[in-house]
Amino acid sequence: MQVLVTYFSRTGHTKELAGEVARGVQEVDSVDCLLKPIAEVTKEDFLHSDGIIIGSPVYFGGMAGEMKAMLDSFVGVRPKMADKVGAAFATSGDLSGGKETTLISLLQVLLIYGMIVVGDPMDATGHYGVSCAGAPDAVTRANGAKLGKRVAELVKKLKG
């Protein structure tokens, strides 16, 4: 079983949060984590992953164009993505910088891919996925790990 954690990051904040999400995935026995920036992700990575967690900075209230381009380019694998587990995370430069709308834009794509989409665990502080303004603080890092662990545990339940 494998969970792909992929992200686009210009400032390093989204990359840092991706590392925390991956740490949570790695806490679950029998589930491997593949952590890659979107520039290195292949269609095979998508196809061979049972869970996919995507992260983007906020650009004009939505995902980065680079993330959208990758997701658009993989549309051919859509019929094979059904029932995989998906989740999202986002970073922004401002407290009200469009993090929730960005998370929804990411989750919308995962839904269109036919995936089972999850938000934050109940013991985290968000709803649609993990997000932060600026660099992830201790709470955001912990929530990122919780999200990764939740996706990995669901993958294990569904595949086990």
Side-chain angles (χ1 to χ4, degrees):
M1 291 174 278
Q2 176 175 282
V3 173
L4 169 64
V5 178
T6 187
Y7 61 91
F8 174 75
S9 187
R10 186 164 288 145
T11 65
H13 297 153
T14 311
K15 179 181 180 179
E16 184 179 346
L17 186 51
E20 296 301 321
V21 173
R23 183 174 58 84
V25 172
Q26 293 163 346
E27 291 178 17
V28 179
D29 292 336
S30 305
V31 179
D32 296 323
C33 182
L34 181 61
L35 174 63
K36 286 186 170 186
I38 60 168
E40 297 175 14
V41 174
T42 66
K43 286 182 185 177
E44 289 73 28
D45 293 331
F46 255 55
L47 290 171
H48 295 120
S49 295
D50 304 295
I52 298 174
I53 308 172
I54 55 177
S56 175
V58 174
Y59 288 152
F60 298 102
M63 72 180 88
E66 293 86 348
M67 176 65 75
K68 178 82 164 73
M70 180 202 69
L71 294 167
D72 286 349
S73 73
F74 291 172
V75 72
V77 301
R78 182 174 168 254
K80 297 178 181 174
M81 298 303 293
D83 300 331
K84 295 176 185 251
V85 181
F89 58 99
T91 62
S92 74
D94 187 75
L95 289 176
S96 61
K99 292 178 292 301
E100 285 190 341
T101 55
T102 298
L103 288 169
I104 295 297
S105 75
L106 293 165
L107 296 176
Q108 181 181 24
V109 172
L110 299 177
L111 286 166
I112 291 167
Y113 268 81
M115 299 176 70
I116 300 165
V117 173
V118 299
D120 281 343
M122 294 305 288
D123 62 343
T125 59
H127 303 294
Y128 307 111
V130 176
S131 66
C132 64
D137 61 12
V139 171
T140 304
R141 289 192 304 273
N143 285 337
K146 288 176 186 178
L147 181 64
K149 184 175 182 180
R150 179 175 190 209
V151 169
E153 287 173 340
L154 288 170
V155 162
K156 195 170 177 179
K157 282 181 185 178
L158 290 171
K159 296 290 286 190

